[in-house]
């Protein structure tokens, strides 16, 4: 029996091409969006920590963090724990642009799923989380997620 993973592959490919899911021109690039999201959730991180988290070499992350610093999205700070490595922290402007971008993405998702019952959206989100956490488990790079209480609070604010 052939497993339906080919259907998942095809739908995933189609998902990446839809304009409603893409970021606006002139706003945060995808790499900055992901980088800022990770630092916001985890707190200040060094190049080494970012390299481990993303599975990217330090030179790639040096380019990404340098661009984010030039744009005023990140700043370098001494390690709050007293370590030698300097760390990157999201700036107020970075947080503001991240919030704007996230709102834009959620607005697009709200349009796509306007006719979906909340139960279907929650089920879809649960499957996406399972899919992502299984990828993270296999890669050995878990991604931090907001506490369940934070998601519940966010949901109640949007109700």
């Amino acid at each position: 029996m052939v497993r339906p993973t080919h259907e998942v592959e095809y739908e995933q490919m189609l998902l990446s091409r839809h304009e409603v899911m893409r970021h606006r021109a002139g706003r945060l690039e995808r790499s900055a969006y992901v980088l800022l999201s990770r630092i916001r959730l985890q707190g200040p991180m060094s190049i080494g920590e970012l390299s481990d988290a993303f599975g990217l070499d330090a030179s790639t992350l040096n380019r990404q963090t340098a661009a984010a610093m030039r744009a005023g999205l990140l700043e370098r700070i001494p390690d709050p724990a007293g370590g030698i490595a300097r760390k990157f922290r999201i700036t107020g402007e970075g947080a503001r642009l991240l919030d704007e971008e996230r709102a834009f993405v959620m607005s697009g998702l709200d349009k796509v799923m306007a006719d979906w019952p909340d139960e279907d959206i929650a089920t879809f989100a649960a499957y996406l989380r399972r899919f992502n956490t299984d990828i993270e488990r296999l890669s050995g790079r878990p991604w931090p997620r907001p506490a369940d209480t934070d998601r519940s609070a966010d949901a109640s604010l949007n109700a």
Side-chain angles (χ1 to χ4, degrees):
M1 179 177 157
V2 176
R3 295 192 68 194
T5 52
H6 67 281
E7 293 176 35
V8 173
E9 178 278 330
Y10 192 78
E11 295 301 329
Q12 179 186 8
M13 179 272 302
L14 291 175
L15 179 64
S16 67
R17 74 172 181 64
H18 292 298
E19 188 63 35
V20 73
M21 302 301 293
R22 292 189 194 161
H23 301 296
R24 297 170 287 186
R27 297 294 180 177
L28 291 179
E29 292 182 7
R30 181 188 168 280
S31 61
Y33 183 75
V34 176
L35 179 68
L36 293 176
S37 294
R38 179 67 184 245
I39 292 172
R40 174 186 262 175
L41 194 56
Q42 189 165 338
M45 297 177 74
S46 68
I47 285 290
E49 291 167 332
L50 290 167
S51 179
D52 289 343
F54 286 95
L56 298 172
D57 60 83
S59 65
T60 298
L61 287 159
N62 275 318
R63 284 191 301 276
Q64 289 180 0
T65 55
M69 285 179 57
R70 281 191 305 275
L73 308 174
L74 289 177
E75 61 187 352
R76 278 195 130 152
I77 61 167
D79 184 348
I84 296 172
R86 294 180 55 85
K87 296 200 173 196
F88 294 94
R89 175 175 64 194
I90 191 170
T91 64
E93 178 67 1
R96 185 185 70 74
L97 288 176
L98 180 59
D99 288 343
E100 280 183 11
E101 192 70 12
R102 183 159 282 133
F104 175 78
V105 171
M106 287 190 296
S107 174
L109 290 170
D110 284 339
K111 289 175 188 170
V112 169
M113 296 184 279
D115 295 331
W116 291 32
D118 285 350
E119 180 181 293
D120 287 358
I121 296 171
T123 300
F124 183 61
Y127 278 122
L128 284 174
R129 181 179 180 134
R130 179 179 174 187
F131 184 76
N132 280 322
T133 56
D134 282 350
I135 291 170
E136 294 161 13
R137 177 182 47 78
L138 290 170
S139 71
R141 292 188 178 84
W143 192 273
R145 287 175 170 76
D148 289 340
T149 55
D150 291 347
R151 277 197 305 276
S152 297
D154 289 345
S156 66
L157 290 174
N158 294 326

